[in-house]
Amino acid sequence: MPEPILTIKNLTKKYGENVIFQNLDLTVNEGDTIVIIGPSGTGKSTLLRCINLLTRPDDGQIWLDNKEITARGTDEDKVRQHIGMVFQNFLLFNHLTALGNVKLGLDKVKKMSDKEATEKAMHELARVGLADRADHYPGQLSGGQQQRVGIARALAMDPRIMLFDEPTSALDPELIGEVLEVMRQLALEGMTMLVVTHEMGFAREVADRIVFMEKGYIVEQGSPNEMFNHPKFPRTREFLWKITELYGKKEKEAD
Amino acid sequence: MDFGQFISYIASGTVYTVGVTLVALPSGLLIGTILALLYVYGGKAAARVMNLYSTVFRGIPPLVLLFILYFAVTKGINLSAFWAGSLSLGIVSSAYQMEIVRGALLSVSGDQLMAARAIGLSRLQAIRYVVLPQAVRLAIPPWSNEAAIVIKDSSLVYALGVPEILRRAQLIGASSQRYLLAYLSAAVIYFLLVFGTTRLLAMLEKKLTIPSNP
Amino acid sequence: MLTWLGYFERFGKNFLHGAGVTLELTAIGLAIGFVLGLLLALARCFGPKWLQQVAGAYIAVFRGTPLLVQLFIIYYGLPEIGIAFSQNMAAYLALGLNSAAYQAEYLRGSINAIGAAQMQAGRSIGLSKWQTIRYVILPQALRLALPSWSNEPISLLKTTAVVFLIAVQDLMAEGKRAATATFDFVGVYLAVALVYLVMVFALDALLKFLERKTKIPGMDIETSR
């Protein structure tokens, strides 16, 4: 029986009257890759931000390794060290080189010596295939390279789980592949991942489970085979058909 | 008196002009930066107080504020005109420098702060290591403008009797009855100071520019 | 603590008179500065090379030296070569010449923002260069400059405070007289500061109103302090 790393119960988030999601339940087991799909504006990004406490949920609980992180008095900074986050717009620190971006957390949060931090950061950059770009600033890197640095920056903290918030949707089509390849590799290495994406090829091939979210609810979840070939709800089929049509074309163009 | 003596008498006031600037500008920067941090990250109440400080101090002519602060300070403590004048100009400048730093802090996008928090940096660490280094670069051009203003405003302490460039030009102009030459010489020295300072800061800006592909 | 508010009762009339002179200085300085500033901006943008350089040097010199020095050159220096002004005339002139340099920069910024494309569009329908400037570029540039230009009247109003040093009878001069009479320098100058604040706020409100009135929808450039 695999251990759950992340457990979400009854999670609710509202902005004023506007309910983003309500009474949401989700479990992520160690080593799983879960892909969340759904129309935009259904609260997927907000869900990720709630999980690493960048946004406070209004109700419900989240457990990370059987410790409730939504409990009062939780050290948020500590929690975030164990949850890696990759952003849609990369959000690299503009004034630091690729190496500097990866090193900052090791330096200031993990308090490693400069030598240790450099070694570890170089190791993470090599992992995403960018060791030779270590001294480049974000403005000197392509979008795909920037996002891979973003992944390396999160990996450097040795997180228990990695959250990906539409990691390829700000990228030109020809740059998407290199980022997905890094993510695929991570999944193979057994990293636990929660990925919000529209890349159906990636979902089909890499996901252990696909979660379809709409209007703040989880409509349906299951293995890629179940979801793509035998969805229980017409909405799921409709969405998957549309999105495959739309993005499949783009993928073909990119080839 | 020959021309060399005439000029060097006025030029010797540069020590005071530069001195006033070197006290006023950094003290204004220090106060302004602290107030800007409070303004941006200190919550609503602090922002309201800072906004009032900024509006009032920037709404009063520097010369009037200089007089108020000078007379208020020298009433309490025995301070030379140089120090009282310089510190007062620093306080005047702090309101403008606060706005410069605030503008720079706000132009570093909030997402940068979020990304820093996401890897576990505390709020203070995120401001210190991610937001401030980027804000400093953005602040250099407007700050260069403010530096030029403070150099020029240092001439206001003339009214307090500090023997800086303008005061010396007046004194030697009166004794030699050659006002035009005296004030023109003063103008040249001020111009060189302002020009040199802005050039220096432009070089600094260039040096600190973060490399990027066009 | 608030005894200084009493000075308004005692010196109110004088302050009011001084404030009138201050506003007059601001208005005249602004007007001279606008006309000269516009000419400088046009010279910099459209003039022959040598004229561009002359205008550039003018702007650099007047922005690079203290107004007080400019004022003293005009009032104390120029009479030596036979050009003498009254105190008020010297003050108008110094404020105007100084303000022109700043106004030229505001106008230049907006003329550049309108850009070469509008010049080409004007020339393409047969307008001459100067006609294009007059009928196409300037009407747009002046409106576009308003948000950043509106710093200038307020800045100039505050700047006028130095002219009492050549004994112009403005608000500061009245303040100085009241301060010497009461020996309460801090209190009197606080009262004077309050009068300046009121004038600055009123002017600011007026300019904001004008900005809203003259705004062309969809037309904007980024403004700086």
Side-chain angles (χ1 to χ4, degrees):
Chain A
M1 190 63 190
E3 273 290 297
I5 281 191
L6 185 78
T7 311
I8 297 172
K9 274 215 176 99
N10 283 325
L11 204 67
T12 299
K13 177 70 193 174
K14 299 175 208 165
Y15 286 116
E17 290 286 285
N18 191 7
V19 179
I20 308 298
F21 47 75
Q22 208 160 19
N23 298 328
L24 205 106
D25 295 328
L26 190 70
T27 308
V28 181
N29 288 333
E30 176 136 35
D32 272 2
T33 297
I34 312 284
V35 170
I36 305 178
I37 60 173
S40 36
T42 42
K44 293 167 296 175
S45 294
T46 311
L47 175 62
L48 294 193
R49 269 158 216 220
C50 280
I51 291 172
N52 77 346
L53 305 179
L54 287 172
T55 302
R56 274 268 159 202
D58 294 305
D59 205 2
Q61 287 108 26
I62 303 171
W63 285 268
L64 182 73
D65 282 327
N66 299 319
K67 250 172 91 180
E68 193 196 334
I69 59 174
T70 38
R72 248 172 222 289
T74 306
D75 183 348
E76 294 179 10
D77 298 336
K78 268 258 163 55
V79 170
R80 292 197 193 102
Q81 287 180 45
H82 301 299
I83 303 178
M85 178 100 174
V86 176
F87 300 93
Q88 182 176 347
N89 298 318
F90 332 132
L91 300 189
L92 295 189
F93 306 131
N94 299 315
H95 64 303
L96 298 175
T97 59
L99 181 66
N101 266 275
V102 182
K103 258 176 78 174
L104 187 67
L106 302 172
D107 245 359
K108 305 302 174 193
V109 180
K110 295 215 162 183
K111 314 268 182 215
M112 286 184 180
S113 72
D114 190 64
K115 188 164 166 286
E116 268 182 301
T118 306
E119 270 170 24
K120 168 93 173 142
M122 283 309 294
H123 169 75
E124 300 300 343
L125 281 173
R127 230 170 134 184
V128 299
L130 286 174
D132 59 332
R133 293 284 187 276
D135 59 349
H136 284 49
Y137 285 88
Q140 297 172 306
L141 297 172
S142 74
Q145 291 171 333
Q146 289 191 50
Q147 190 58 296
R148 282 147 69 196
V149 174
I151 293 172
R153 179 175 73 183
L155 284 177
M157 305 305 287
D158 291 324
R160 291 286 289 147
I161 179 170
M162 288 277 284
L163 312 178
F164 292 84
D165 184 7
E166 302 201 24
T168 58
S169 53
L171 290 175
D172 291 335
E174 72 271 19
L175 301 176
I176 291 175
E178 59 188 76
V179 173
L180 291 181
E181 185 47 43
V182 167
M183 291 167 64
R184 192 172 292 141
Q185 202 56 44
L186 279 179
L188 280 179
E189 287 169 21
M191 173 60 73
T192 311
M193 312 199 323
L194 189 54
V195 183
V196 172
T197 187
H198 295 301
E199 295 297 331
M200 290 305 127
F202 177 83
R204 196 192 274 265
E205 189 192 336
V206 182
D208 295 294
R209 183 154 40 103
I210 296 177
V211 176
F212 175 48
M213 241 178 112
E214 189 177 48
K215 292 178 184 148
Y217 294 97
I218 292 177
V219 178
E220 184 173 354
Q221 49 181 312
S223 70
N225 180 36
E226 286 165 350
M227 295 292 277
F228 278 98
N229 301 326
H230 321 285
K232 292 192 197 81
F233 294 89
R235 271 304 292 145
T236 313
R237 182 174 322 156
E238 202 181 318
F239 177 78
L240 279 171
W241 186 81
K242 264 190 196 157
I243 200 97
T244 313
E245 179 75 359
L246 196 68
Y247 285 83
K249 261 187 197 154
K250 238 198 207 168
E251 270 169 25
K252 263 183 212 139
E253 276 166 21
D255 294 339
Chain B
M1 178 186 298
D2 65 25
F3 183 66
Q5 280 176 308
F6 185 88
I7 291 292
S8 68
Y9 179 78
I10 298 173
S12 63
T14 308
V15 180
Y16 285 93
T17 298
V18 171
V20 170
T21 307
L22 284 183
V23 174
L25 204 53
S27 58
L29 179 63
L30 183 68
I31 302 170
T33 304
I34 294 170
L35 297 184
L37 286 169
L38 282 170
Y39 200 148
V40 177
Y41 301 112
K44 272 207 181 107
R48 216 167 290 148
V49 175
M50 294 312 140
N51 186 31
L52 186 71
Y53 180 90
S54 164
T55 312
V56 169
F57 275 34
R58 294 186 312 133
I60 299 171
L63 184 62
V64 181
L65 212 46
L66 175 68
F67 278 12
I68 294 173
L69 292 167
Y70 172 77
F71 288 120
V73 165
T74 47
K75 220 198 251 175
I77 3 169
N78 191 9
L79 217 54
S80 70
F82 171 81
W83 281 104
S86 305
L87 290 172
S88 301
L89 276 182
I91 293 171
V92 171
S93 177
S94 73
Y96 294 93
Q97 296 198 55
M98 168 173 96
E99 290 296 344
I100 291 169
V101 177
R102 182 172 84 102
L105 288 174
L106 290 177
S107 6
V108 178
S109 96
D111 284 350
Q112 288 280 318
L113 189 70
M114 181 178 70
R117 300 301 304 275
I119 55 168
L121 262 68
S122 72
R123 193 175 162 77
L124 225 58
Q125 282 179 319
I127 293 170
R128 163 82 182 74
Y129 297 112
V130 174
V131 179
L132 272 182
Q134 297 185 53
V136 165
R137 290 174 168 85
L138 293 170
I140 292 177
W143 195 77
S144 164
N145 193 34
E146 179 64 18
I149 291 174
V150 172
I151 294 173
K152 290 185 281 171
D153 277 356
S154 76
S155 66
L156 298 178
V157 300
Y158 148 94
L160 310 177
V162 178
E164 44 74 75
I165 296 169
L166 185 60
R167 174 61 89 181
R168 282 177 188 257
Q170 187 204 32
L171 292 174
I172 203 157
S175 66
S176 66
Q177 286 301 304
R178 299 184 65 183
Y179 283 108
L180 187 59
L181 183 64
Y183 289 130
L184 280 176
S185 310
V188 170
I189 300 172
Y190 277 114
F191 182 78
L192 292 177
L193 286 174
V194 169
F195 187 75
T197 304
T198 45
R199 264 299 149 90
L200 224 62
L201 286 167
M203 273 161 58
L204 179 69
E205 189 201 351
K206 210 164 168 194
K207 210 180 150 211
L208 289 181
T209 301
I210 302 160
S212 75
N213 294 333
Chain C
M1 172 64 202
L2 290 178
T3 51
W4 56 272
L5 283 173
Y7 293 137
F8 285 110
E9 218 166 306
R10 190 166 156 201
F11 301 108
K13 264 209 176 112
N14 307 45
F15 287 169
L16 211 60
H17 177 259
V21 174
T22 292
L23 288 175
E24 195 180 300
L25 286 161
T26 309
I28 295 175
L30 199 63
I32 297 174
F34 179 75
V35 174
L36 186 57
L38 186 58
L39 292 175
L40 284 167
L42 290 174
R44 277 217 85 178
C45 293
F46 303 111
K49 186 109 197 165
W50 65 269
L51 195 58
Q52 287 184 21
Q53 280 165 351
V54 169
Y58 178 97
I59 292 168
V61 166
F62 275 86
R63 283 165 52 108
T65 51
L67 171 71
L68 205 47
V69 177
Q70 296 160 15
L71 183 69
F72 285 5
I73 288 174
I74 291 170
Y75 185 67
Y76 296 114
L78 289 184
E80 279 174 30
I81 54 171
I83 311 170
F85 297 104
S86 70
Q87 285 137 344
N88 281 36
M89 275 311 261
Y92 297 148
L93 207 57
L95 290 168
L97 294 180
N98 182 270
S99 179
Y102 291 90
Q103 295 192 53
E105 286 296 85
Y106 291 128
L107 293 167
R108 189 170 71 100
S110 65
I111 290 173
N112 282 340
I114 298 295
Q118 289 284 316
M119 175 59 93
Q120 282 169 6
R123 300 303 296 274
S124 75
I125 59 165
L127 293 175
S128 74
K129 185 176 173 184
W130 287 105
Q131 282 176 320
T132 310
I133 292 170
R134 167 75 186 78
Y135 297 110
V136 178
I137 300 205
L138 275 187
Q140 299 181 61
L142 290 178
R143 259 172 275 200
L144 200 55
L146 194 57
S148 54
W149 177 85
S150 60
N151 290 314
E152 185 56 19
I154 291 170
S155 168
L156 189 63
L157 171 63
K158 290 188 285 171
T159 309
T160 61
V162 302
V163 301
F164 88 103
L165 292 168
I166 60 164
V168 173
Q169 294 305 303
D170 72 338
L171 179 55
M172 271 306 270
E174 296 293 351
K176 189 186 172 192
R177 200 171 298 129
T180 333
T182 57
F183 276 105
D184 179 10
F185 289 85
V186 177
V188 166
Y189 284 121
L190 275 174
V192 167
L194 193 62
V195 181
Y196 274 110
L197 264 183
V198 169
M199 288 195 286
V200 164
F201 288 162
L203 193 54
D204 188 48
L206 178 70
L207 287 161
K208 291 240 165 74
F209 174 75
L210 279 176
E211 247 175 74
R212 273 201 308 276
K213 275 275 183 184
T214 58
K215 196 171 162 58
I216 299 176
M219 222 172 107
D220 250 322
I221 47 168
E222 280 179 36
T223 60
S224 57
R225 158 163 115 79

